């Protein structure tokens, strides 16, 4: 069973690797960022609460995020494993997740930590483009779509996220350093952490993650 967390700063490649991991392992991909962006697009009550935090590059409050993730993990498709992307992002979120899973006799099996230098991240995020329809991730230099502005997977429109403006990117990196990076020690102490150099090409990072998961699962 693979109950995985993808950990790393904004732009480290969590969403990119999640897409590849879903194809390989057929696990549900739970991205809290995608959930919030979909809620903002719909204009739902959750979206109205989350919008200001996303636009400012700040974290949505823990109680809101944890409620959503618990509800998602309760769904039948998550009982045989899952990929959490962008959650947890604070120590209280990690503690709440551990308690919730322990209550269901489950646990996190691997924390994939993707490490990338902040200057590289700024270049990546300001060049990132995303499909408005299926959320596939592109980069204007590193991973362009075959036809400009059109998603290779579904033909949807490719756009730039509002929080990928340089000033907001710098704020998100600061928030990561202060509130999320302490999770590296949290999961290392619990023997769950596996760190990967996210500056390697996408396929190399993916192969290394798969190798580590396969070694772990025998
Ligand atoms: P979220 O959507 O989770 O954003 P993030 O963590 O900032 O991560 P990103 O999606 O920006 O980056 P990524 O690591 O997935 O990189 P990607 O694969 O796209 O969260 C957004 C907001 O929602 C937060 O700011 C917060 O407000 C809120 N939120 C979400 N979760 C929350 C939580 N738990 N608690 C509170 N608030 C929460 O790759 C980036 C680019 O690099 C792409 O263009 C890609 O093609 C390229 N790339 C990827 N890998 C490589 C590589 N190896 N080499 C070269 N280029 C690469």
């Amino acid at each position: 069973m693979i109950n995985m967390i993808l950990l790393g700063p904004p732009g480290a490649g969590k969403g990119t690797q999640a897409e590849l991991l879903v194809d390989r392992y057929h696990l549900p991909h739970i991205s809290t960022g995608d959930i919030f962006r979909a809620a903002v697009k719909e204009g739902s009550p959750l979206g109205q609460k989350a919008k200001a935090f996303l636009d400012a590059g700040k974290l949505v409050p823990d109680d809101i995020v944890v409620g959503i993730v618990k509800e998602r993990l309760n769904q039948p498709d998550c009982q045989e494993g899952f990929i959490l992307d962008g959650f947890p992002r604070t120590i209280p979120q990690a503690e709440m997740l551990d308690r919730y899973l322990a209550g269901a006799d489950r646990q996190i099996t691997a924390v994939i930590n993707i490490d990338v230098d902040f200057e590289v991240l700024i270049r990546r995020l300001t060049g990132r483009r995303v499909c408005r329809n299926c959320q596939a991730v592109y980069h204007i230099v590193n991973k362009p779509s075959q036809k400009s502005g059109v998603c290779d997977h579904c033909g949807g429109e490719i756009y730039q996220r509002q929080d990928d403006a340089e000033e907001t990117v710098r704020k998100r990196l600061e928030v990561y350093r202060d509130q999320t990076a302490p999770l590296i020690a949290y999961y290392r102490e619990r023997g769950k952490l596996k760190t990967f150099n996210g500056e390697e090409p996408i396929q190399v990072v993916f192969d290394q993650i798969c190798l580590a998961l396969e070694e772990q699962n025998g």
Side-chain angles (χ1 to χ4, degrees):
M1 162 109 53
I2 298 177
N3 294 336
M4 182 195 318
I5 291 172
L6 291 171
L7 181 67
K14 303 181 295 296
T16 300
Q17 294 301 326
E19 239 178 273
L20 298 169
L21 289 161
V22 166
D23 278 351
R24 166 84 56 110
Y25 296 107
H26 309 290
L27 295 169
H29 170 209
I30 305 167
S31 158
T32 41
D34 285 350
I35 293 171
F36 290 133
R37 279 185 291 280
V40 169
K41 195 170 149 196
E42 278 168 23
S44 68
L46 171 67
Q48 287 166 20
K49 278 189 215 157
K51 187 174 187 317
F53 295 101
L54 264 73
D55 287 351
K58 293 184 180 163
L59 295 184
V60 176
D62 288 341
D63 53 337
I64 298 180
V65 190
V66 171
I68 288 164
V69 173
K70 281 186 185 170
E71 205 176 291
R72 184 67 189 87
L73 290 176
N74 254 334
Q75 310 275 312
D77 65 326
C78 293
Q79 305 314 307
E80 298 304 319
F82 52 79
I83 301 173
L84 280 170
D85 165 3
F87 179 92
R89 244 175 161 99
T90 63
I91 297 279
Q93 288 183 15
E95 289 170 345
M96 284 189 258
L97 176 66
D98 281 349
R99 277 199 299 276
Y100 167 75
L101 290 175
D105 210 15
R106 301 160 81 189
Q107 59 169 324
I108 292 300
T109 55
V111 178
I112 305 299
N113 177 39
I114 308 177
D115 187 31
V116 179
D117 181 84
F118 276 19
E119 286 307 314
V120 175
L121 294 173
I122 291 167
R123 286 199 293 278
R124 276 191 192 180
L125 288 173
T126 51
R128 172 168 60 182
R129 300 293 182 269
V130 183
C131 173
R132 215 181 266 289
N133 180 44
C134 74
Q135 319 312 323
V137 179
Y138 298 92
H139 188 277
I140 51 174
V141 178
N142 303 332
K143 195 188 169 204
S145 58
Q146 280 163 20
K147 191 172 166 205
S148 173
V150 180
C151 178
D152 294 346
H153 300 285
C154 73
E157 182 204 351
I158 294 176
Y159 80 113
Q160 181 173 29
R161 272 171 47 176
Q162 203 174 336
D163 61 350
D164 280 346
E166 184 165 342
E167 197 188 325
T168 316
V169 165
R170 288 189 188 276
K171 176 68 192 167
R172 287 162 62 203
L173 290 172
E174 204 180 287
V175 168
Y176 166 80
R177 190 194 55 214
D178 295 344
Q179 299 189 56
T180 307
L183 289 175
I184 294 173
Y186 179 91
Y187 286 114
R188 187 183 291 121
E189 283 159 17
R190 285 158 181 76
K192 312 255 187 207
L193 193 81
K194 296 177 196 304
T195 296
F196 300 86
N197 178 0
E199 292 182 37
E200 296 281 3
I202 293 170
Q203 190 63 40
V204 172
V205 180
F206 177 62
D207 290 344
Q208 290 175 352
I209 294 173
C210 292
L211 190 65
L213 291 173
E214 278 148 31
E215 275 173 7
Q216 182 183 17
N217 288 327

